[in-house]
Amino acid sequence: MNLTKGKERSKPISTTNYRVNESIRVPEVRVIGPNGENLGVLPIEKALRAAREAELDLVEVAPGATPPVCRIMDFGKFLYERTKKEREARKSQTKIEVKEIRLRPKTNEHHRGFKTRDARRWLQDGMKVRVTVRFRGREITYPELALEDLKEIAQELADISTVEQMPSLEGKTMTMVLAPVKGGKKKAVESTEKVASEE
């Protein structure tokens, strides 16, 4: 009769599926030492003693093998590094959302202030911002007005963003894309200076 089965079920190991130290319920295991050396098949008591002597943990890394394979390691450090790698992998997979603010040439400053505040909030949340100026009728003959607006917005947000796509005119729309700054304030300021110089 297995008296340890219920006890094992009531003792979860962190949030992982790894069995560690006394949670390993098999008579013998194949042991990999702390430096990757193969210590061979050992009775579980001897494997646990070897881990304790090294002041490390015995971690079951291949439960499906016969006998199961265990490694002597620092389990806390292993979990930390594993979580860090998973977080980095998730970060690299994250699709950056692009938000948009729309303006007209020489939108009044009060109205533009609301739009710029929205853009600032989105950039602080790690999103990119597309700033679009739409022309109507004869407004298209004054693209420098829209360029001036875009330059002012880029300068206003220079502390937290960099110009990823310089202002470009397509049809009746002028567009600029701002990205959250990664290289600090200096990089953002250099980027807005570039917009100014391309006027």
Side-chain angles (χ1 to χ4, degrees):
M1 187 177 169
N2 190 352
L3 297 172
T4 61
K5 202 172 179 185
K7 206 184 282 181
E8 181 189 357
R9 211 177 272 145
S10 65
K11 191 181 177 187
I13 309 300
S14 179
T15 54
T16 71
N17 299 321
Y18 291 97
R19 279 194 278 265
V20 184
N21 298 329
E22 282 72 23
S23 301
I24 302 165
R25 307 290 188 184
V26 289
E28 58 181 25
V29 291
R30 183 174 299 281
V31 182
I32 307 295
N35 301 312
E37 68 278 23
N38 187 349
L39 302 181
V41 177
L42 301 175
I44 189 65
E45 296 81 12
K46 199 169 179 184
L48 285 167
R49 191 160 54 245
R52 274 195 297 272
E53 282 168 4
E55 295 183 352
L56 294 168
D57 302 294
L58 185 69
V59 182
E60 189 180 58
V61 291
T66 309
V69 179
C70 293
R71 186 169 196 141
I72 295 174
M73 65 167 85
D74 181 336
F75 188 59
K77 186 180 175 187
F78 168 73
L79 270 190
Y80 170 76
E81 285 173 359
R82 184 167 167 264
T83 307
K84 191 177 167 188
K85 274 182 194 166
E86 284 172 1
R87 201 181 305 124
E88 282 167 6
R90 274 198 304 273
K91 205 184 285 180
S92 65
Q93 285 170 0
T94 304
K95 191 179 176 185
I96 296 176
E97 195 177 339
V98 180
K99 293 282 192 176
E100 184 176 30
I101 58 172
R102 294 177 184 179
L103 304 167
R104 295 283 311 287
K106 279 299 169 194
T107 299
N108 73 67
E109 279 188 39
H110 179 69
H111 182 64
R112 197 179 73 193
F114 287 120
K115 303 268 190 179
T116 308
R117 275 197 291 278
D118 284 341
R120 178 173 289 277
R121 193 176 71 246
W122 293 330
L123 287 161
Q124 285 170 334
D125 287 344
M127 300 174 196
K128 292 183 183 182
V129 176
R130 182 185 296 112
V131 187
T132 303
V133 181
R134 295 188 185 280
F135 300 96
R136 285 186 195 158
R138 293 177 59 84
E139 288 173 348
I140 194 70
T141 57
Y142 301 102
E144 65 277 5
L145 295 179
L147 192 60
E148 183 64 30
D149 276 343
L150 294 178
K151 187 185 87 171
E152 285 173 17
I153 289 169
Q155 285 173 339
E156 216 170 309
L157 298 170
D159 58 324
I160 58 160
S161 71
T162 180
V163 179
E164 185 179 83
Q165 181 191 309
M166 302 305 288
S168 62
L169 184 62
E170 283 182 30
K172 292 191 173 185
T173 306
M174 188 177 280
T175 306
M176 171 180 75
V177 178
L178 299 173
V181 71
K182 289 175 187 168
K185 192 170 180 177
K186 184 170 178 262
K187 189 175 175 186
V189 170
E190 283 169 3
S191 158
T192 52
E193 283 170 358
K194 194 176 172 193
V195 174
S197 69
E198 292 198 5
E199 259 193 288

